[in-house]
Amino acid sequence: MSFIAQEKLNNLNSEEKLKFILKEVKKGHILVLESGLSSEEQAKLIEMTMEDINDGFVGIEMESYMEEKKGFWQKFFGKRNRMTIVGPADKLKTIYRDKEVIKTIIKAG
Amino acid sequence: MGLLDRISGFILSLFGKKHVRIGIYGPPNAGKTTLANRIAKDWTGEIVGEVSEIPHETRKIQKKDKVIIKNGKSSLTIDIIDTPGIATKIDFHDFMEYGLVEEEAKKRAKEATEGVIEAIKWLDNVDGVILLMDSTKNPFTQVNITILGNLEARELPFIIVANKIDLDGSTPATLKSAFPKHDVIPISALEGINMDLLYETMVRKFGKRK
């Protein structure tokens, strides 16, 4: 499992970020992203994942917290980041989640 | 543009929208096509597409244009867009459990992946969304969270619909408490339960001036 610091992804634009994530996930890595992904990036990541699905790669398991509605100051200073966990669907399985808790199991490769 | 068109455009801008394109979104097997069929059948007598217990039955966008929904003296003309279910993973082996042979399952999986991409792209082309959830399941799925986040970011009007309230184990109250800031309408698209409330909410929500 790899913990990815905010600084690492901040240096990449949105497309580079998603390509990096998908490349790592396809290698079998599970990533915990400190800065998370926006909803638009998550949708784009699903799109890119679908383009890559084949007999050996069945997709991703991704979990994140809901972004809260942005208040004035958040709009002014930019959106709030949330943590995102993403990994290959055959290795990472969500067993429970609610507003504040995500429980997953990781299968041995 | 003629004078009459300009006058009617001006009146519409004052009193709200009258013709909108509404996408039905949600995870696979939430009942999107059943709901699209219910709406189309209630107001036109025709259906939009076939339904099935096998996930990803709808793998291409299906449309029914110019469905006029009435609520008292108000009405709204909608184009219903029935979208393929959005998923983060698609394994052809899952389809084989429903009796499909490997070749069929692989073909279905390939089409399903294309359907997910098409559904996401169609978010750019809709004026409003019905986000359909299965009220017998946990609402905090990544698909629901991702769609909801996109709708909020795009500032698209949407209604959350808790489907399958006719089934044992349905807990629409869980969905209401999960999304307290949004309209959550409990229905059974299959049995036609609470459809009047949904139509009333659709006319109110989607007929609003932006």
Side-chain angles (χ1 to χ4, degrees):
Chain A
M1 186 185 286
S2 310
F3 293 87
I4 311 292
Q6 191 169 349
E7 287 75 15
K8 163 82 181 168
L9 296 183
N10 281 354
N11 292 328
L12 306 173
N13 67 33
S14 206
E15 195 175 336
E16 288 170 339
K17 194 194 295 187
L18 298 178
K19 278 184 179 168
F20 165 78
I21 292 167
L22 202 50
K23 191 175 159 194
E24 291 298 307
V25 169
K26 286 177 76 178
K27 282 185 207 165
H29 298 165
I30 292 164
L31 311 180
V32 179
L33 311 176
E34 183 192 12
S35 62
L37 294 175
S38 70
S39 297
E40 296 96 320
E41 287 171 337
Q42 287 171 7
K44 188 69 194 162
L45 181 61
I46 294 174
E47 261 191 79
M48 289 168 70
T49 301
M50 290 297 128
E51 283 165 4
D52 278 6
I53 283 181
N54 55 44
D55 289 0
F57 175 61
V58 298
I60 58 170
E61 185 81 24
M62 173 168 59
E63 295 295 347
S64 62
Y65 295 108
M66 269 187 292
E67 278 183 337
E68 283 172 17
K69 216 156 193 158
K70 298 170 193 78
F72 173 77
W73 291 109
Q74 283 168 299
K75 271 187 180 169
F76 194 72
F77 289 112
K79 66 182 173 237
R80 200 166 109 183
N81 293 317
R82 309 301 296 251
M83 192 188 73
T84 299
I85 306 168
V86 56
D90 59 350
K91 284 197 173 166
L92 184 67
K93 187 174 165 57
T94 304
I95 50 170
Y96 175 82
R97 75 172 290 169
D98 64 19
K99 281 180 193 167
E100 291 107 14
V101 178
I102 295 172
K103 288 184 187 174
T104 63
I105 50 170
I106 299 167
K107 296 178 207 165
Chain B
M1 186 188 273
L3 184 63
L4 272 178
D5 287 338
R6 270 186 283 174
I7 291 169
S8 69
F10 174 71
I11 291 169
L12 280 183
S13 72
L14 283 179
F15 294 104
K17 290 186 158 206
K18 288 289 174 189
H19 190 166
V20 287
R21 192 179 275 172
I22 303 300
I24 302 178
Y25 278 83
N29 275 22
K32 294 180 294 301
T33 305
T34 305
L35 176 60
N37 285 346
R38 168 68 62 183
I39 296 171
K41 201 145 193 243
D42 279 353
W43 301 102
T44 70
E46 294 168 4
I47 64 163
V48 177
E50 295 300 319
V51 295
S52 158
E53 284 187 353
I54 308 174
H56 298 282
E57 175 65 24
T58 306
R59 300 183 295 283
K60 281 185 179 299
I61 294 285
Q62 304 185 119
K63 275 179 76 192
K64 181 81 185 161
D65 289 341
K66 293 182 182 166
V67 177
I68 302 168
I69 294 175
K70 289 179 181 158
N71 175 49
K73 287 181 182 171
S74 309
S75 72
L76 180 71
T77 304
I78 63 168
D79 296 340
I80 303 170
I81 318 294
D82 176 27
T83 69
I86 294 181
T88 61
K89 56 192 172 220
I90 295 171
D91 185 347
F92 77 89
H93 293 99
D94 293 342
F95 298 126
M96 293 173 74
E97 288 174 15
Y98 289 88
L100 271 64
V101 298
E102 187 171 325
E103 199 179 329
E104 278 178 324
K106 282 184 175 173
K107 183 170 177 276
R108 194 180 186 94
K110 174 91 180 104
E111 289 171 357
T113 60
E114 290 164 1
V116 174
I117 295 168
E118 196 185 9
I120 292 172
K121 287 192 189 306
W122 261 83
L123 276 171
D124 293 333
N125 298 321
V126 294
D127 302 305
V129 164
I130 291 174
L131 175 51
L132 195 65
M133 300 184 190
D134 183 335
S135 67
T136 67
K137 293 188 174 161
N138 181 354
F140 293 104
T141 65
Q142 189 58 42
V143 166
N144 288 343
I145 302 303
T146 300
I147 300 173
L148 200 56
N150 273 269
L151 299 176
E152 286 177 344
R154 290 161 191 257
E155 297 186 345
L156 278 172
F158 65 93
I159 302 166
I160 297 173
V161 173
N163 192 25
K164 305 190 185 183
I165 61 167
D166 57 304
L167 296 184
D168 289 341
S170 160
T171 54
T174 306
L175 267 77
K176 284 196 176 188
S177 62
F179 307 107
K181 292 175 188 164
H182 302 295
D183 284 318
V184 179
I185 311 294
I187 67 155
S188 165
L190 189 66
E191 301 293 335
I193 301 168
N194 257 357
M195 292 304 293
D196 286 345
L197 177 61
L198 176 60
Y199 294 139
E200 182 195 319
T201 311
M202 286 172 73
V203 171
R204 176 170 50 81
K205 191 98 182 176
F206 300 136
K208 255 187 204 167
R209 188 156 55 103
K210 250 189 172 178

